[in-house]
Amino acid sequence: MITTRSPLRISLGGGGTDLPSYYREHGGFLIAGAINKYVYVNVMRPFTEGIYLKYSHLEHVDAINEVQHPIIREAIRMLDFKTPQVEITTLADIPSGTGLGSSGSFTTALLKALYVHRMRQIEPKELAELACEIEIDRLGEPIGKQDQYIAACGGLTCFTFHPDDRVDVEPLKISMDTKFDLEDNLLLFFTGFSRSAGSILKDQNTKTKSSDKDMIANLHFVKELGLKSKTLLESGKTTEFGALMHEHWEHKKRRSGGMSNAHIDQWYDLGMKNGAVGGKLVGAGGGGFLLFYANDRNKLRHAMAAAGLEEVRFAFDFEGTKVLFS
C-alpha cells in the first residue's frame, strides 16, 4: 500500500500567464506558494482483479476505458497497466473547486503513487510535466501549469514559462522574517462558492487565442505585477506587496464577467475597510477563497467572521508531492 500527498497552493503574483495560449506567444511568469493543506492518494493491489476507485463516487470496473474519472483513467493509461488490478482512494483537506489548485495536486499525488506502485522513480519537474500532459494535452482542459508545478515542487517558488514549453523553477529568495510575516498576515477566507476552474478560464483562453488586445494587455500587465511582487518580497517590503495584490485583483476582474459577483465584491470591500491592505480571489475566480494581506489581522478576522466567512489558517509547505507511506 502506498500513500502520497500533494500540497494545495495560493498564487502570489502573475497568475493567468501560465496558460499555454499566453506563454507560447509571450512567455509567462508567476509566483506561487504551496500550503500545508493537502490532497492524499492511497494506492494498493486488491485481492481480486479489477479497478476499484473511491473518491466522491465509487467505481468498480474491469477495463481502463470503463473508468469514469478522467484523470485516473489517463494516469493508468500513461503507466501502461496491462492487467489492471488496483485500488485507488482519494481524500482532501479542502474540497475541489475552491481555487487552491486541487486538480493539479490530485494529479501529481496520483502519478507519484502509481510510479511507486510500479517501483519507479520520478523527479518533481518530470512529475509536474506528466501531470500537465494529462490535464492539458490529453484531457484538453483550458488551464495553466502552475498548479502541477507548485504541487510537485512545493515551497515559495517562481516559475518562468517559455514559449517552447520549458519551465524554469526558482525558489523565491526571501528571509525567514519575510516568510513568517507572510504566514502571519496573509489570511484566507472561504466564500462558500465552488466552481470549475476550466469554466472560468475558458473565456480567457478563447480571447487569448484570438489575440484579443484587451486580454493580452491585461496579461502583460499582470506578468509585470508578478515580477514586481518578486522584487518587493525579496526586499522584505511585504506591505507594498499587499497593496500590489489589490492592483492585481482589479486587473484580474476585467478578464471575465464571471470572475467576481456581488457577494464577493461586498466581502472584498468589507475586508479593505477592516484591516486589509490588499487582496484577491485565489485561483481562476468566480468563488473559492479570498486572500488578504492585513495590517490589522484581528480586525479583519472579526469583520469576516461577522460576515459569515470561515478562515483557513495555513503555513507554507516546502516538501511538495511526497510519499507518506510505502
Side-chain angles (χ1 to χ4, degrees), residues 31-62:
I31 307 168
I35 63 174
N36 62 343
K37 303 298 175 187
Y38 301 99
V39 174
Y40 302 88
V41 172
N42 188 81
V43 172
M44 63 179 293
R45 188 177 188 275
F47 185 72
T48 55
E49 289 186 2
I51 301 172
Y52 299 80
L53 307 179
K54 300 174 184 178
Y55 51 106
S56 56
H57 296 81
L58 296 176
E59 293 190 49
H60 175 205
V61 298
D62 296 320

PDB file of all heavy atoms in Angstrom, residues 31-62:
ATOM      1  N   ILE A  31       4.458  33.689  -9.317  1.00  0.00           N
ATOM      2  CA  ILE A  31       4.929  33.210  -8.021  1.00  0.00           C
ATOM      3  C   ILE A  31       3.779  32.474  -7.356  1.00  0.00           C
ATOM      4  O   ILE A  31       2.648  32.971  -7.320  1.00  0.00           O
ATOM      5  CB  ILE A  31       5.368  34.368  -7.107  1.00  0.00           C
ATOM      6  CG1 ILE A  31       6.381  35.266  -7.809  1.00  0.00           C
ATOM      7  CG2 ILE A  31       5.947  33.831  -5.801  1.00  0.00           C
ATOM      8  CD1 ILE A  31       6.625  36.566  -7.064  1.00  0.00           C
ATOM      9  N   ALA A  32       4.058  31.291  -6.842  1.00  0.00           N
ATOM     10  CA  ALA A  32       3.045  30.525  -6.123  1.00  0.00           C
ATOM     11  C   ALA A  32       3.640  30.015  -4.818  1.00  0.00           C
ATOM     12  O   ALA A  32       4.856  29.843  -4.693  1.00  0.00           O
ATOM     13  CB  ALA A  32       2.537  29.356  -6.969  1.00  0.00           C
ATOM     14  N   GLY A  33       2.768  29.774  -3.855  1.00  0.00           N
ATOM     15  CA  GLY A  33       3.197  29.234  -2.568  1.00  0.00           C
ATOM     16  C   GLY A  33       2.406  27.984  -2.221  1.00  0.00           C
ATOM     17  O   GLY A  33       1.168  28.004  -2.204  1.00  0.00           O
ATOM     18  N   ALA A  34       3.094  26.860  -2.000  1.00  0.00           N
ATOM     19  CA  ALA A  34       2.436  25.643  -1.539  1.00  0.00           C
ATOM     20  C   ALA A  34       2.090  25.807  -0.060  1.00  0.00           C
ATOM     21  O   ALA A  34       2.871  26.376   0.706  1.00  0.00           O
ATOM     22  CB  ALA A  34       3.355  24.444  -1.735  1.00  0.00           C
ATOM     23  N   ILE A  35       0.910  25.338   0.332  1.00  0.00           N
ATOM     24  CA  ILE A  35       0.477  25.480   1.728  1.00  0.00           C
ATOM     25  C   ILE A  35       0.231  24.110   2.356  1.00  0.00           C
ATOM     26  O   ILE A  35       0.081  23.112   1.658  1.00  0.00           O
ATOM     27  CB  ILE A  35      -0.780  26.371   1.839  1.00  0.00           C
ATOM     28  CG1 ILE A  35      -1.976  25.732   1.112  1.00  0.00           C
ATOM     29  CG2 ILE A  35      -0.494  27.766   1.284  1.00  0.00           C
ATOM     30  CD1 ILE A  35      -3.287  26.492   1.321  1.00  0.00           C
ATOM     31  N   ASN A  36       0.173  24.089   3.669  1.00  0.00           N
ATOM     32  CA  ASN A  36       0.064  22.823   4.389  1.00  0.00           C
ATOM     33  C   ASN A  36      -1.384  22.342   4.501  1.00  0.00           C
ATOM     34  O   ASN A  36      -1.852  21.933   5.569  1.00  0.00           O
ATOM     35  CB  ASN A  36       0.716  22.915   5.769  1.00  0.00           C
ATOM     36  CG  ASN A  36       0.052  23.943   6.667  1.00  0.00           C
ATOM     37  OD1 ASN A  36      -0.697  24.814   6.211  1.00  0.00           O
ATOM     38  ND2 ASN A  36       0.342  23.865   7.961  1.00  0.00           N
ATOM     39  N   LYS A  37      -2.077  22.393   3.378  1.00  0.00           N
ATOM     40  CA  LYS A  37      -3.372  21.735   3.188  1.00  0.00           C
ATOM     41  C   LYS A  37      -3.179  20.815   1.993  1.00  0.00           C
ATOM     42  O   LYS A  37      -2.607  21.224   0.982  1.00  0.00           O
ATOM     43  CB  LYS A  37      -4.495  22.743   2.934  1.00  0.00           C
ATOM     44  CG  LYS A  37      -4.639  23.781   4.038  1.00  0.00           C
ATOM     45  CD  LYS A  37      -4.997  23.140   5.360  1.00  0.00           C
ATOM     46  CE  LYS A  37      -5.022  24.177   6.481  1.00  0.00           C
ATOM     47  NZ  LYS A  37      -5.202  23.537   7.810  1.00  0.00           N
ATOM     48  N   TYR A  38      -3.694  19.578   2.084  1.00  0.00           N
ATOM     49  CA  TYR A  38      -3.220  18.552   1.166  1.00  0.00           C
ATOM     50  C   TYR A  38      -4.328  17.742   0.500  1.00  0.00           C
ATOM     51  O   TYR A  38      -5.448  17.636   1.008  1.00  0.00           O
ATOM     52  CB  TYR A  38      -2.302  17.573   1.919  1.00  0.00           C
ATOM     53  CG  TYR A  38      -1.097  18.233   2.543  1.00  0.00           C
ATOM     54  CD1 TYR A  38      -1.075  18.561   3.898  1.00  0.00           C
ATOM     55  CD2 TYR A  38       0.021  18.547   1.771  1.00  0.00           C
ATOM     56  CE1 TYR A  38       0.041  19.168   4.474  1.00  0.00           C
ATOM     57  CE2 TYR A  38       1.136  19.147   2.338  1.00  0.00           C
ATOM     58  CZ  TYR A  38       1.135  19.461   3.683  1.00  0.00           C
ATOM     59  OH  TYR A  38       2.241  20.071   4.248  1.00  0.00           O
ATOM     60  N   VAL A  39      -3.940  17.145  -0.636  1.00  0.00           N
ATOM     61  CA  VAL A  39      -4.692  16.078  -1.279  1.00  0.00           C
ATOM     62  C   VAL A  39      -3.908  14.785  -1.051  1.00  0.00           C
ATOM     63  O   VAL A  39      -2.693  14.757  -1.233  1.00  0.00           O
ATOM     64  CB  VAL A  39      -4.860  16.337  -2.790  1.00  0.00           C
ATOM     65  CG1 VAL A  39      -5.529  15.142  -3.465  1.00  0.00           C
ATOM     66  CG2 VAL A  39      -5.672  17.604  -3.037  1.00  0.00           C
ATOM     67  N   TYR A  40      -4.614  13.727  -0.648  1.00  0.00           N
ATOM     68  CA  TYR A  40      -3.981  12.439  -0.367  1.00  0.00           C
ATOM     69  C   TYR A  40      -4.486  11.382  -1.341  1.00  0.00           C
ATOM     70  O   TYR A  40      -5.670  11.362  -1.693  1.00  0.00           O
ATOM     71  CB  TYR A  40      -4.317  11.971   1.058  1.00  0.00           C
ATOM     72  CG  TYR A  40      -3.901  12.940   2.142  1.00  0.00           C
ATOM     73  CD1 TYR A  40      -4.764  13.969   2.534  1.00  0.00           C
ATOM     74  CD2 TYR A  40      -2.676  12.818   2.778  1.00  0.00           C
ATOM     75  CE1 TYR A  40      -4.400  14.860   3.530  1.00  0.00           C
ATOM     76  CE2 TYR A  40      -2.299  13.705   3.781  1.00  0.00           C
ATOM     77  CZ  TYR A  40      -3.167  14.728   4.149  1.00  0.00           C
ATOM     78  OH  TYR A  40      -2.801  15.603   5.131  1.00  0.00           O
ATOM     79  N   VAL A  41      -3.576  10.516  -1.767  1.00  0.00           N
ATOM     80  CA  VAL A  41      -3.947   9.398  -2.630  1.00  0.00           C
ATOM     81  C   VAL A  41      -3.373   8.119  -2.039  1.00  0.00           C
ATOM     82  O   VAL A  41      -2.197   8.067  -1.660  1.00  0.00           O
ATOM     83  CB  VAL A  41      -3.436   9.598  -4.075  1.00  0.00           C
ATOM     84  CG1 VAL A  41      -3.654   8.332  -4.899  1.00  0.00           C
ATOM     85  CG2 VAL A  41      -4.142  10.770  -4.742  1.00  0.00           C
ATOM     86  N   ASN A  42      -4.213   7.092  -1.971  1.00  0.00           N
ATOM     87  CA  ASN A  42      -3.788   5.779  -1.493  1.00  0.00           C
ATOM     88  C   ASN A  42      -3.946   4.773  -2.636  1.00  0.00           C
ATOM     89  O   ASN A  42      -5.016   4.697  -3.248  1.00  0.00           O
ATOM     90  CB  ASN A  42      -4.646   5.357  -0.299  1.00  0.00           C
ATOM     91  CG  ASN A  42      -4.131   4.095   0.369  1.00  0.00           C
ATOM     92  OD1 ASN A  42      -3.205   4.152   1.166  1.00  0.00           O
ATOM     93  ND2 ASN A  42      -4.737   2.972   0.044  1.00  0.00           N
ATOM     94  N   VAL A  43      -2.890   4.042  -2.936  1.00  0.00           N
ATOM     95  CA  VAL A  43      -2.921   3.030  -3.992  1.00  0.00           C
ATOM     96  C   VAL A  43      -2.504   1.688  -3.403  1.00  0.00           C
ATOM     97  O   VAL A  43      -1.505   1.606  -2.675  1.00  0.00           O
ATOM     98  CB  VAL A  43      -1.981   3.406  -5.160  1.00  0.00           C
ATOM     99  CG1 VAL A  43      -1.872   2.253  -6.156  1.00  0.00           C
ATOM    100  CG2 VAL A  43      -2.484   4.657  -5.876  1.00  0.00           C
ATOM    101  N   MET A  44      -3.264   0.647  -3.709  1.00  0.00           N
ATOM    102  CA  MET A  44      -2.898  -0.696  -3.255  1.00  0.00           C
ATOM    103  C   MET A  44      -3.368  -1.719  -4.289  1.00  0.00           C
ATOM    104  O   MET A  44      -4.157  -1.408  -5.184  1.00  0.00           O
ATOM    105  CB  MET A  44      -3.501  -1.003  -1.891  1.00  0.00           C
ATOM    106  CG  MET A  44      -5.016  -1.014  -1.860  1.00  0.00           C
ATOM    107  SD  MET A  44      -5.668  -1.416  -0.230  1.00  0.00           S
ATOM    108  CE  MET A  44      -5.149  -3.127  -0.079  1.00  0.00           C
ATOM    109  N   ARG A  45      -2.857  -2.905  -4.152  1.00  0.00           N
ATOM    110  CA  ARG A  45      -3.276  -4.010  -5.036  1.00  0.00           C
ATOM    111  C   ARG A  45      -4.332  -4.815  -4.297  1.00  0.00           C
ATOM    112  O   ARG A  45      -4.050  -5.437  -3.274  1.00  0.00           O
ATOM    113  CB  ARG A  45      -2.074  -4.890  -5.386  1.00  0.00           C
ATOM    114  CG  ARG A  45      -2.367  -5.945  -6.450  1.00  0.00           C
ATOM    115  CD  ARG A  45      -1.098  -6.713  -6.791  1.00  0.00           C
ATOM    116  NE  ARG A  45      -1.272  -7.605  -7.936  1.00  0.00           N
ATOM    117  CZ  ARG A  45      -1.751  -8.845  -7.863  1.00  0.00           C
ATOM    118  NH1 ARG A  45      -2.103  -9.349  -6.693  1.00  0.00           N
ATOM    119  NH2 ARG A  45      -1.865  -9.585  -8.968  1.00  0.00           N
ATOM    120  N   PRO A  46      -5.582  -4.812  -4.806  1.00  0.00           N
ATOM    121  CA  PRO A  46      -6.640  -5.552  -4.118  1.00  0.00           C
ATOM    122  C   PRO A  46      -6.488  -7.058  -4.316  1.00  0.00           C
ATOM    123  O   PRO A  46      -5.698  -7.518  -5.146  1.00  0.00           O
ATOM    124  CB  PRO A  46      -7.920  -5.041  -4.803  1.00  0.00           C
ATOM    125  CG  PRO A  46      -7.475  -4.669  -6.172  1.00  0.00           C
ATOM    126  CD  PRO A  46      -6.059  -4.151  -6.026  1.00  0.00           C
ATOM    127  N   PHE A  47      -7.280  -7.809  -3.587  1.00  0.00           N
ATOM    128  CA  PHE A  47      -7.177  -9.265  -3.655  1.00  0.00           C
ATOM    129  C   PHE A  47      -7.717  -9.799  -4.979  1.00  0.00           C
ATOM    130  O   PHE A  47      -7.215 -10.785  -5.514  1.00  0.00           O
ATOM    131  CB  PHE A  47      -7.955  -9.894  -2.485  1.00  0.00           C
ATOM    132  CG  PHE A  47      -7.806 -11.384  -2.389  1.00  0.00           C
ATOM    133  CD1 PHE A  47      -6.613 -11.951  -1.965  1.00  0.00           C
ATOM    134  CD2 PHE A  47      -8.861 -12.218  -2.745  1.00  0.00           C
ATOM    135  CE1 PHE A  47      -6.465 -13.324  -1.888  1.00  0.00           C
ATOM    136  CE2 PHE A  47      -8.726 -13.591  -2.669  1.00  0.00           C
ATOM    137  CZ  PHE A  47      -7.527 -14.149  -2.239  1.00  0.00           C
ATOM    138  N   THR A  48      -8.734  -9.128  -5.524  1.00  0.00           N
ATOM    139  CA  THR A  48      -9.352  -9.593  -6.760  1.00  0.00           C
ATOM    140  C   THR A  48      -9.045  -8.635  -7.909  1.00  0.00           C
ATOM    141  O   THR A  48      -8.736  -7.464  -7.699  1.00  0.00           O
ATOM    142  CB  THR A  48     -10.878  -9.709  -6.603  1.00  0.00           C
ATOM    143  OG1 THR A  48     -11.398  -8.454  -6.150  1.00  0.00           O
ATOM    144  CG2 THR A  48     -11.228 -10.794  -5.598  1.00  0.00           C
ATOM    145  N   GLU A  49      -9.159  -9.116  -9.147  1.00  0.00           N
ATOM    146  CA  GLU A  49      -8.857  -8.305 -10.316  1.00  0.00           C
ATOM    147  C   GLU A  49      -9.892  -7.198 -10.505  1.00  0.00           C
ATOM    148  O   GLU A  49     -11.033  -7.300 -10.065  1.00  0.00           O
ATOM    149  CB  GLU A  49      -8.804  -9.182 -11.579  1.00  0.00           C
ATOM    150  CG  GLU A  49      -7.605 -10.096 -11.638  1.00  0.00           C
ATOM    151  CD  GLU A  49      -7.521 -10.836 -12.955  1.00  0.00           C
ATOM    152  OE1 GLU A  49      -8.389 -10.588 -13.835  1.00  0.00           O
ATOM    153  OE2 GLU A  49      -6.597 -11.655 -13.120  1.00  0.00           O
ATOM    154  N   GLY A  50      -9.456  -6.135 -11.181  1.00  0.00           N
ATOM    155  CA  GLY A  50     -10.357  -5.025 -11.463  1.00  0.00           C
ATOM    156  C   GLY A  50      -9.774  -3.713 -10.986  1.00  0.00           C
ATOM    157  O   GLY A  50      -8.707  -3.667 -10.361  1.00  0.00           O
ATOM    158  N   ILE A  51     -10.475  -2.634 -11.312  1.00  0.00           N
ATOM    159  CA  ILE A  51     -10.079  -1.287 -10.895  1.00  0.00           C
ATOM    160  C   ILE A  51     -11.123  -0.788  -9.907  1.00  0.00           C
ATOM    161  O   ILE A  51     -12.303  -0.644 -10.251  1.00  0.00           O
ATOM    162  CB  ILE A  51      -9.993  -0.343 -12.118  1.00  0.00           C
ATOM    163  CG1 ILE A  51      -8.992  -0.874 -13.135  1.00  0.00           C
ATOM    164  CG2 ILE A  51      -9.614   1.067 -11.673  1.00  0.00           C
ATOM    165  CD1 ILE A  51      -8.993  -0.114 -14.459  1.00  0.00           C
ATOM    166  N   TYR A  52     -10.689  -0.529  -8.683  1.00  0.00           N
ATOM    167  CA  TYR A  52     -11.577  -0.074  -7.618  1.00  0.00           C
ATOM    168  C   TYR A  52     -11.223   1.377  -7.288  1.00  0.00           C
ATOM    169  O   TYR A  52     -10.075   1.671  -6.938  1.00  0.00           O
ATOM    170  CB  TYR A  52     -11.411  -0.934  -6.366  1.00  0.00           C
ATOM    171  CG  TYR A  52     -11.738  -2.396  -6.554  1.00  0.00           C
ATOM    172  CD1 TYR A  52     -10.812  -3.273  -7.141  1.00  0.00           C
ATOM    173  CD2 TYR A  52     -12.959  -2.911  -6.148  1.00  0.00           C
ATOM    174  CE1 TYR A  52     -11.096  -4.616  -7.322  1.00  0.00           C
ATOM    175  CE2 TYR A  52     -13.261  -4.264  -6.310  1.00  0.00           C
ATOM    176  CZ  TYR A  52     -12.328  -5.108  -6.896  1.00  0.00           C
ATOM    177  OH  TYR A  52     -12.623  -6.445  -7.065  1.00  0.00           O
ATOM    178  N   LEU A  53     -12.173   2.276  -7.398  1.00  0.00           N
ATOM    179  CA  LEU A  53     -11.928   3.702  -7.156  1.00  0.00           C
ATOM    180  C   LEU A  53     -12.868   4.221  -6.087  1.00  0.00           C
ATOM    181  O   LEU A  53     -14.079   3.976  -6.135  1.00  0.00           O
ATOM    182  CB  LEU A  53     -12.127   4.503  -8.451  1.00  0.00           C
ATOM    183  CG  LEU A  53     -11.350   4.034  -9.684  1.00  0.00           C
ATOM    184  CD1 LEU A  53     -11.667   4.920 -10.877  1.00  0.00           C
ATOM    185  CD2 LEU A  53      -9.851   4.011  -9.407  1.00  0.00           C
ATOM    186  N   LYS A  54     -12.289   4.966  -5.136  1.00  0.00           N
ATOM    187  CA  LYS A  54     -13.074   5.574  -4.058  1.00  0.00           C
ATOM    188  C   LYS A  54     -12.694   7.047  -3.967  1.00  0.00           C
ATOM    189  O   LYS A  54     -11.615   7.393  -3.483  1.00  0.00           O
ATOM    190  CB  LYS A  54     -12.787   4.868  -2.731  1.00  0.00           C
ATOM    191  CG  LYS A  54     -13.128   3.377  -2.744  1.00  0.00           C
ATOM    192  CD  LYS A  54     -12.691   2.685  -1.459  1.00  0.00           C
ATOM    193  CE  LYS A  54     -12.968   1.188  -1.542  1.00  0.00           C
ATOM    194  NZ  LYS A  54     -12.493   0.471  -0.314  1.00  0.00           N
ATOM    195  N   TYR A  55     -13.546   7.912  -4.515  1.00  0.00           N
ATOM    196  CA  TYR A  55     -13.369   9.362  -4.397  1.00  0.00           C
ATOM    197  C   TYR A  55     -14.727   9.912  -4.004  1.00  0.00           C
ATOM    198  O   TYR A  55     -15.353   9.355  -3.090  1.00  0.00           O
ATOM    199  CB  TYR A  55     -12.785   9.964  -5.678  1.00  0.00           C
ATOM    200  CG  TYR A  55     -13.489   9.610  -6.977  1.00  0.00           C
ATOM    201  CD1 TYR A  55     -14.274  10.545  -7.618  1.00  0.00           C
ATOM    202  CD2 TYR A  55     -13.345   8.342  -7.555  1.00  0.00           C
ATOM    203  CE1 TYR A  55     -14.926  10.227  -8.818  1.00  0.00           C
ATOM    204  CE2 TYR A  55     -13.984   8.031  -8.745  1.00  0.00           C
ATOM    205  CZ  TYR A  55     -14.784   8.972  -9.373  1.00  0.00           C
ATOM    206  OH  TYR A  55     -15.418   8.668 -10.537  1.00  0.00           O
ATOM    207  N   SER A  56     -15.236  10.976  -4.625  1.00  0.00           N
ATOM    208  CA  SER A  56     -16.594  11.422  -4.306  1.00  0.00           C
ATOM    209  C   SER A  56     -17.639  10.450  -4.846  1.00  0.00           C
ATOM    210  O   SER A  56     -18.812  10.525  -4.484  1.00  0.00           O
ATOM    211  CB  SER A  56     -16.840  12.827  -4.866  1.00  0.00           C
ATOM    212  OG  SER A  56     -16.605  12.849  -6.257  1.00  0.00           O
ATOM    213  N   HIS A  57     -17.199   9.530  -5.740  1.00  0.00           N
ATOM    214  CA  HIS A  57     -18.029   8.443  -6.233  1.00  0.00           C
ATOM    215  C   HIS A  57     -17.274   7.131  -6.028  1.00  0.00           C
ATOM    216  O   HIS A  57     -16.070   7.129  -5.740  1.00  0.00           O
ATOM    217  CB  HIS A  57     -18.338   8.620  -7.724  1.00  0.00           C
ATOM    218  CG  HIS A  57     -19.153   9.832  -8.036  1.00  0.00           C
ATOM    219  ND1 HIS A  57     -18.608  11.102  -8.137  1.00  0.00           N
ATOM    220  CD2 HIS A  57     -20.481   9.986  -8.269  1.00  0.00           C
ATOM    221  CE1 HIS A  57     -19.560  11.976  -8.418  1.00  0.00           C
ATOM    222  NE2 HIS A  57     -20.700  11.326  -8.501  1.00  0.00           N
ATOM    223  N   LEU A  58     -17.985   6.030  -6.183  1.00  0.00           N
ATOM    224  CA  LEU A  58     -17.371   4.709  -6.134  1.00  0.00           C
ATOM    225  C   LEU A  58     -17.422   4.101  -7.528  1.00  0.00           C
ATOM    226  O   LEU A  58     -18.453   4.179  -8.208  1.00  0.00           O
ATOM    227  CB  LEU A  58     -18.109   3.801  -5.152  1.00  0.00           C
ATOM    228  CG  LEU A  58     -18.084   4.208  -3.670  1.00  0.00           C
ATOM    229  CD1 LEU A  58     -18.947   3.246  -2.854  1.00  0.00           C
ATOM    230  CD2 LEU A  58     -16.661   4.227  -3.144  1.00  0.00           C
ATOM    231  N   GLU A  59     -16.323   3.501  -7.946  1.00  0.00           N
ATOM    232  CA  GLU A  59     -16.286   2.806  -9.226  1.00  0.00           C
ATOM    233  C   GLU A  59     -15.636   1.425  -9.033  1.00  0.00           C
ATOM    234  O   GLU A  59     -14.677   1.289  -8.281  1.00  0.00           O
ATOM    235  CB  GLU A  59     -15.466   3.580 -10.269  1.00  0.00           C
ATOM    236  CG  GLU A  59     -16.060   4.897 -10.713  1.00  0.00           C
ATOM    237  CD  GLU A  59     -15.325   5.470 -11.920  1.00  0.00           C
ATOM    238  OE1 GLU A  59     -15.113   4.708 -12.904  1.00  0.00           O
ATOM    239  OE2 GLU A  59     -14.936   6.647 -11.876  1.00  0.00           O
ATOM    240  N   HIS A  60     -16.186   0.448  -9.721  1.00  0.00           N
ATOM    241  CA  HIS A  60     -15.553  -0.869  -9.819  1.00  0.00           C
ATOM    242  C   HIS A  60     -15.743  -1.337 -11.244  1.00  0.00           C
ATOM    243  O   HIS A  60     -16.860  -1.692 -11.661  1.00  0.00           O
ATOM    244  CB  HIS A  60     -16.168  -1.865  -8.839  1.00  0.00           C
ATOM    245  CG  HIS A  60     -15.626  -3.249  -8.996  1.00  0.00           C
ATOM    246  ND1 HIS A  60     -16.324  -4.376  -8.613  1.00  0.00           N
ATOM    247  CD2 HIS A  60     -14.433  -3.692  -9.507  1.00  0.00           C
ATOM    248  CE1 HIS A  60     -15.600  -5.453  -8.896  1.00  0.00           C
ATOM    249  NE2 HIS A  60     -14.455  -5.059  -9.432  1.00  0.00           N
ATOM    250  N   VAL A  61     -14.660  -1.299 -12.027  1.00  0.00           N
ATOM    251  CA  VAL A  61     -14.723  -1.656 -13.444  1.00  0.00           C
ATOM    252  C   VAL A  61     -13.617  -2.658 -13.753  1.00  0.00           C
ATOM    253  O   VAL A  61     -12.682  -2.848 -12.971  1.00  0.00           O
ATOM    254  CB  VAL A  61     -14.592  -0.408 -14.351  1.00  0.00           C
ATOM    255  CG1 VAL A  61     -15.749   0.560 -14.105  1.00  0.00           C
ATOM    256  CG2 VAL A  61     -13.249   0.296 -14.131  1.00  0.00           C
ATOM    257  N   ASP A  62     -13.740  -3.279 -14.927  1.00  0.00           N
ATOM    258  CA  ASP A  62     -12.770  -4.305 -15.318  1.00  0.00           C
ATOM    259  C   ASP A  62     -11.691  -3.786 -16.250  1.00  0.00           C
ATOM    260  O   ASP A  62     -10.601  -4.358 -16.323  1.00  0.00           O
ATOM    261  CB  ASP A  62     -13.502  -5.476 -15.996  1.00  0.00           C
ATOM    262  CG  ASP A  62     -14.454  -6.179 -15.044  1.00  0.00           C
ATOM    263  OD1 ASP A  62     -14.083  -6.356 -13.861  1.00  0.00           O
ATOM    264  OD2 ASP A  62     -15.563  -6.532 -15.476  1.00  0.00           O
TER     265      ASP A  62
END
